[in-house]
Amino acid sequence: MIVGIGVDVVQVSRFRQQLERTPALRERLFVPAERELNIRSLAARFAAKEAVAKALGAPVGMNWQHCQVVVDAAGDPHVMVDGTVAEAATKKGVLFWHLSLSHDGDLATAMVVAER
């Protein structure tokens, strides 16, 4: 059963400007393994984190570092949660996450389905 769906779109150039203006933002939003990725990948991961938040109903107190995108051996992206995001997911009964990432020109898009 679907618990929630979230979609987010990030303009890569605008996201780059935000990170340049506020360098601490990179540390606040991303775990160390994510921080060294190229800007398009970071924008897609941010879109995924936003989509996860939307799928959970935008829980108050969500720590952005408690949600990350990991890639398996085949190169497929997956949502991994812990801490505040895992707590919100548990309250909603989320057992599985489905994630799709896409890039086109200056846009990065993520779609997340939270399933029980």
Side-chain angles (χ1 to χ4, degrees):
M1 179 203 298
I2 294 175
V3 175
I5 298 171
V7 176
D8 197 64
V9 178
V10 174
Q11 185 177 12
V12 177
S13 58
R14 185 170 175 248
F15 189 69
R16 175 187 289 116
Q17 290 171 349
Q18 288 294 96
L19 291 179
E20 289 170 354
R21 268 188 291 216
T22 314
L25 194 57
R26 188 179 297 253
E27 284 77 34
R28 194 176 89 207
L29 297 176
F30 302 105
V31 299
E34 294 173 312
R35 292 178 195 155
E36 301 307 316
L37 296 170
N38 67 56
I39 192 66
R40 290 181 79 220
S41 293
L42 282 178
R45 279 161 172 75
F46 180 69
K49 292 172 188 241
E50 284 278 350
V52 165
K54 291 172 183 176
L56 292 174
V60 175
M62 178 179 152
N63 182 322
W64 293 105
Q65 291 191 23
H66 293 168
C67 176
Q68 62 181 304
V69 175
V70 295
V71 179
D72 66 18
D76 296 327
H78 300 278
V79 172
M80 189 170 81
V81 299
D82 61 5
T84 57
V85 181
E87 289 171 20
T90 298
K91 287 179 185 174
K92 294 254 183 190
V94 177
L95 299 175
F96 304 102
W97 295 99
H98 305 276
L99 170 64
S100 179
L101 300 175
S102 185
H103 300 89
D104 186 21
D106 195 36
L107 297 177
T109 305
M111 193 241 187
V112 169
V113 175
E115 185 180 6
R116 196 180 311 231

